[in-house]
């Protein structure tokens, strides 16, 4: 059976690749955020009045890195998952069309063979 919808196949592949790239970048960014917050938090501890004063003290150091990392994983992971799912959705629709076309062709041939076979042969 011939392959149709080449442009949609390319678009689906692009979405899947973008989803994987987004997931990888998200993972690297979250690791960078956590590492820099741990190192930066240790540095800010030396300057106690700058590091943990006021309501923003919660977001410095390891706790801030954990919160920022969690937010990054949720946002970036959701974006990566959405992009990949869009590519899979397009692929699913193409597969559905191919399956429907193959079924229609099969049923047409089956009906055509039934109409061509001799009627009322006694055996």
């Amino acid at each position: 059976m011939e392959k149709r919808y080449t442009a949609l196949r390319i678009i689906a592949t692009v979405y899947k690749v973008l989803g994987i790239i987004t997931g990888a970048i998200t993972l690297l960014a979250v690791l960078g955020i956590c590492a820099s917050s741990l190192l930066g938090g240790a540095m800010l501890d030396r300057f106690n009045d700058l590091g943990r004063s006021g309501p923003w003290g919660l977001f410095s150091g390891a706790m801030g890195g954990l919160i920022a990392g969690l937010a990054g994983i949720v946002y970036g992971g959701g974006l990566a998952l959405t992009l990949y799912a869009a590519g899979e959705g397009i692929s699913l629709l193409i597969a559905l069309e191919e399956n429907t076309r193959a079924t229609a062709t099969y049923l047409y041939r089956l009906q055509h063979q039934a109409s061509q076979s001799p009627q009322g042969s006694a055996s």
Side-chain angles (χ1 to χ4, degrees):
M1 190 151 290
E2 72 177 275
K3 298 281 186 182
R4 292 183 178 179
Y5 308 112
T6 306
L8 282 178
R9 290 178 195 278
I10 292 170
I11 291 169
T13 303
V14 166
Y15 270 124
K16 290 178 191 176
V17 169
L18 285 176
I20 291 170
I21 290 171
T22 303
I25 289 174
T26 298
L27 206 60
L28 290 175
V30 166
L31 289 175
I33 288 170
C34 289
S36 66
S37 68
L38 285 175
L39 296 174
M43 191 74 136
L44 285 177
D45 278 343
R46 293 183 183 175
F47 305 107
N48 200 11
D49 58 337
L50 296 175
R52 298 188 189 272
S53 63
W56 301 108
L58 175 67
F59 297 110
S60 64
M63 187 58 133
L66 182 65
I67 292 170
L70 185 62
I73 284 287
V74 168
Y75 180 74
L79 184 61
L81 188 65
T82 302
L83 285 170
Y84 195 83
E88 283 292 323
I90 293 171
S91 296
L92 174 70
L93 291 174
I94 292 171
L96 181 67
E97 186 275 333
E98 286 176 348
N99 190 19
T100 304
R101 187 168 21 114
T103 303
T105 303
Y106 173 73
L107 289 175
Y108 176 78
R109 288 181 185 165
L110 192 64
Q111 184 182 15
H112 188 66
Q113 286 175 353
S115 66
Q116 295 294 326
S117 64
Q119 299 286 334
S121 62
S123 339

